[in-house]
Amino acid sequence: MNKTVKITINGEVFEQSVPVRMLLSDFIREVASLTGTHIGCTYEGVCGACTVQVDGEAVKSCLMLASQADGHNVTTIEGLAKDGKLSPLQQAFNDHHALQCGFCTPGILMNMDEFLKVNPNPTDDEIRTGLVGNLCRCTGYAHIIDAVRDAAKRAR
Ligand code: FES
Ligand code: FES
């Protein structure tokens, strides 16, 4: 069974009839062709690579149906930089070498972008707790925590 859904992604409206069981992550990648949202754990909700923001709130897009996002605003990693300029958080990741293979990075950035809006002055422990839903197999997290801490400091 199909349903027509209309989702605004990074300011662009995508309206299409899709299977009612289509995941938001698949809508983003297959309908909107925005492949920066990664699938790392075959839709089990454990890796966080698929994290996007729905109405500003970080969500794992493999745990949400596209039909549940009908009428909502989604931001993906492609929407984080503005006018070709990295967001302050992206710049901090770049400056602190907070990524290696980069597979986890879009999801971590979308999660931490919301995290810093809610908690603009986090302790390292709070950053670690905020990252609990994002798996990174490369970095050991130390540089990621440095980058998030520095991004928060730059924003103050
Ligand atoms: S692909 Fe969504 S949490 Fe891993
Ligand atoms: S940088 Fe490779 S998984 Fe995080």
Side-chain angles (χ1 to χ4, degrees):
M1 195 167 73
N2 275 28
K3 175 178 168 30
T4 298
V5 297
K6 187 175 173 182
I7 304 174
T8 303
I9 307 178
N10 305 331
E12 186 178 347
V13 176
F14 295 87
E15 185 170 9
Q16 187 156 316
S17 174
V18 297
V20 289
R21 296 180 66 182
M22 177 179 255
L23 299 170
L24 177 59
S25 52
D26 291 340
F27 188 95
I28 291 167
R29 291 177 56 85
E30 294 169 18
V31 177
S33 300
L34 294 168
T35 54
T37 298
H38 293 160
I39 306 298
C41 63
T42 50
Y43 311 108
E44 290 177 351
V46 296
C47 77
C50 65
T51 304
V52 300
Q53 292 174 7
V54 178
D55 298 331
E57 187 177 340
V59 300
K60 292 177 178 176
S61 60
C62 78
L63 295 181
M64 186 171 185
L65 297 171
S67 59
Q68 291 175 299
D70 186 25
H72 291 270
N73 284 298
V74 173
T75 307
T76 69
I77 187 63
E78 290 88 347
L80 209 53
K82 297 281 182 257
D83 302 321
K85 192 170 183 293
L86 295 179
S87 75
L89 183 61
Q90 287 174 306
Q91 189 61 54
F93 267 61
N94 184 62
D95 296 345
H96 286 273
H97 311 290
L99 60 145
Q100 289 181 28
C101 80
F103 191 86
C104 68
T105 311
I108 289 181
L109 287 167
M110 297 315 292
N111 182 23
M112 288 294 102
D113 181 76
E114 189 225 353
F115 171 82
L116 289 176
K117 285 176 184 147
V118 175
N119 186 353
N121 189 16
T123 64
D124 283 8
D125 275 350
E126 287 169 338
I127 296 171
R128 285 189 195 95
T129 301
L131 285 167
V132 77
N134 292 95
L135 298 183
C136 175
R137 296 194 297 182
C138 304
T139 64
Y141 294 92
H143 291 256
I144 293 173
I145 292 164
D146 289 345
V148 175
R149 186 196 314 111
D150 192 30
K153 189 174 158 197
R154 291 182 199 186
R156 289 196 296 272

